[in-house]
Amino acid sequence: MSIFDLFRDNSKTPKSAHVAKERLKVIVAHERHQRNAPDYLPALQRDIMDVIRKYVDIGPEQLQVDINEEGNYSILEVNVNLPK
Amino acid sequence: MAKIVVITSGKGGVGKTTSSAAISMGLALRGHKTVVIDFDIGLRNLDIIMNCERRVVFDFVNVIQQEASLNQALIKDKRCDNLYILPASQTRDKDALTKEGVKKVLDDLAEQFDYIVCDSPAGIEQGAQMALYYADEAIVVTNPEVSSVRDSDRILGILQSKSFRAENNQPPVREHLLITRFDPERVARGDMLDVPDIEEILAIPLLGIIPESQAVLNASNKGMPVVLDEKSDAGQAYLDTVARFLGEEKPHRFLEAQRKGFLKRVFGG
């Protein structure tokens, strides 16, 4: 930090290290979830997508397919955001 | 019982070979008979970092393919009697490494050595998977930077699912975080991920923090593991790292930004 930095407006933009941490938290959590998921999940997701698209036009970001372990069973969670 | 330690990272250029050279020399200096193996088939570099590039006659692949004996291929370090180097092949394809071939070499080395340090290539392909497959311990080298942290997490996933220990329901590979190229000044300015940030994301125990240092380039220029430069910050940080690896308690050092002189503080730089 030097005297010249005082004239720059740093207050509004968050520090880049903070941005890095937040981005990493999201992507690492997402990738860990994916690698613990069964191998068929991406194919299942594509098939569900194809079925929905027969009726409604949605993009990949509007469909979320997750498998969550709950003790001795798993829950398949499908979230679809349909456009209005 | 020999311990197999892999130095890995996923991402390239983060300091795996520098760390392998420093840590294996550190272990040897502490009296442990140590061998360091270059798993980067086709891109041999441990030899030049260890200053034995002109003494390579036979290599790791020659031994696997039984074209040379282990003792013919092992290069004894000239600075420390406890340290040997097994260089990578410069010509063969990395598919020359097979699980069976690597196992045979590691089993033979285990009879002579206390520590077998495996210097992994970058990436998550065959070479990297072979380097970590038989590991008892893994030192995951990470730079305070998004792509390195992300790749470290991927490597941790592979250690937890595709190592021999994971595949055979044995106790998991012990994981250690080694942060390299750490720059306290940039952290203080908020331009670089801090140690607790990386620890929180990767959630593995911290083994050491190596500061960004001119000493590292100087050491590799000379072919000298940086721990031999005992006065340097990086050399001391690696020696501390080795001590912690051997179970000693050592506070982490070189985490504070150096105090700048008045002129620098006023005018920057």
Side-chain angles (χ1 to χ4, degrees):
Chain A
M1 177 75 79
S2 81
I3 203 162
F4 304 114
D5 292 326
L6 296 176
F7 301 107
R8 290 187 210 134
D9 186 12
N10 288 334
S11 54
K12 283 179 201 133
T13 45
K15 293 291 186 186
S16 71
H18 181 74
V19 178
K21 185 184 177 185
E22 294 309 311
R23 290 175 60 218
L24 270 170
K25 271 190 186 166
V26 172
I27 191 66
V28 165
H30 177 72
E31 288 178 344
R32 272 184 201 159
H33 199 79
Q34 272 187 339
R35 73 178 177 238
N36 294 329
D39 295 339
Y40 61 75
L41 196 65
L44 177 66
Q45 179 154 3
R46 272 194 303 276
D47 285 353
I48 294 175
M49 184 81 174
D50 289 345
V51 171
I52 295 170
R53 273 200 179 147
K54 276 191 195 167
Y55 305 94
V56 194
D57 189 29
I58 59 164
E61 68 287 348
Q62 284 157 284
L63 171 69
Q64 251 194 328
V65 180
D66 277 321
I67 290 189
N68 294 308
E69 302 285 331
E70 293 278 338
N72 56 352
Y73 58 91
S74 305
I75 297 173
L76 175 69
E77 201 179 297
V78 180
N79 266 303
V80 193
N81 274 317
L82 296 178
K84 280 192 175 168
Chain B
M1 200 35 200
K3 258 205 182 119
I4 303 175
V5 186
V6 63
I7 314 286
T8 186
S9 70
K11 192 176 181 308
V14 298
K16 281 182 297 299
T17 302
T18 299
S19 298
S20 297
I23 290 168
S24 54
M25 179 60 88
L27 287 166
L29 290 173
R30 298 286 300 254
H32 301 285
K33 215 171 168 213
T34 303
V35 59
V36 55
I37 310 176
D38 190 349
F39 271 78
D40 203 347
I41 307 303
L43 287 171
R44 169 161 89 207
N45 271 322
L46 183 66
D47 57 340
I48 201 161
I49 296 298
M50 302 284 286
N51 199 21
C52 62
E53 69 275 14
R54 285 178 302 152
R55 295 165 65 206
V56 177
V57 184
F58 295 110
D59 58 55
F60 191 18
V61 174
N62 291 139
V63 178
I64 286 177
Q65 299 186 338
Q66 299 180 335
E67 295 156 352
S69 74
L70 195 49
N71 288 328
Q72 280 177 306
L74 285 174
I75 301 173
K76 187 175 185 195
D77 189 88
K78 287 196 167 161
R79 296 150 296 204
C80 184
D81 287 343
N82 289 323
L83 183 60
Y84 287 77
I85 298 120
L86 183 55
S89 165
Q90 191 63 305
T91 50
R92 319 260 176 132
D93 188 82
K94 54 185 167 293
D95 295 332
L97 298 183
T98 60
K99 278 182 189 170
E100 300 69 35
V102 171
K103 182 175 186 350
K104 174 82 174 63
V105 175
L106 292 178
D107 284 347
D108 291 348
L109 288 169
E111 289 176 12
Q112 306 179 37
F113 291 95
D114 304 325
Y115 285 97
I116 302 170
V117 177
C118 304
D119 180 18
S120 173
I124 53 172
E125 302 301 315
Q126 174 85 350
Q129 293 202 15
M130 282 300 108
L132 67 78
Y133 189 70
Y134 293 104
D136 300 308
E137 315 232 2
I139 296 177
V140 179
V141 183
T142 306
N143 289 170
E145 181 270 321
V146 287
S147 55
S148 175
V149 176
R150 182 194 200 178
D151 290 359
S152 291
D153 193 68
R154 290 218 59 193
I155 277 291
L156 288 169
I158 293 172
L159 282 162
Q160 289 155 13
S161 63
K162 289 184 179 159
S163 62
F164 178 84
R165 282 171 171 270
E167 286 180 355
N168 291 277
N169 292 316
Q170 290 186 5
V173 180
R174 243 181 100 202
E175 299 156 343
H176 307 269
L177 173 61
L178 179 63
I179 298 173
T180 55
R181 310 201 69 163
F182 185 76
D183 186 339
E185 285 178 20
R186 296 173 77 180
V187 172
R189 286 199 301 264
D191 299 337
M192 183 179 265
L193 287 166
D194 201 354
V195 174
D197 301 337
I198 304 171
E199 282 184 280
E200 185 188 329
I201 290 160
L202 294 179
I204 60 171
L206 179 65
L207 181 67
I209 303 151
I210 313 300
E212 172 81 68
S213 168
Q214 180 61 41
V216 172
L217 184 58
N218 281 337
S220 70
N221 285 344
K222 295 181 203 159
M224 179 186 85
V226 72
V227 289
L228 295 176
D229 185 358
E230 291 154 13
K231 292 201 184 80
S232 69
D233 48 358
Q236 290 177 28
Y238 272 115
L239 288 171
D240 286 358
T241 299
V242 170
R244 279 186 218 106
F245 185 76
L246 294 171
E248 288 173 34
E249 297 261 341
K250 287 258 179 189
H252 292 284
R253 297 191 277 167
F254 315 109
L255 301 178
E256 302 292 320
Q258 292 210 333
R259 289 189 66 119
K260 286 180 176 175
F262 173 74
L263 285 176
K264 266 199 174 172
R265 263 187 285 159
V266 173
F267 296 107

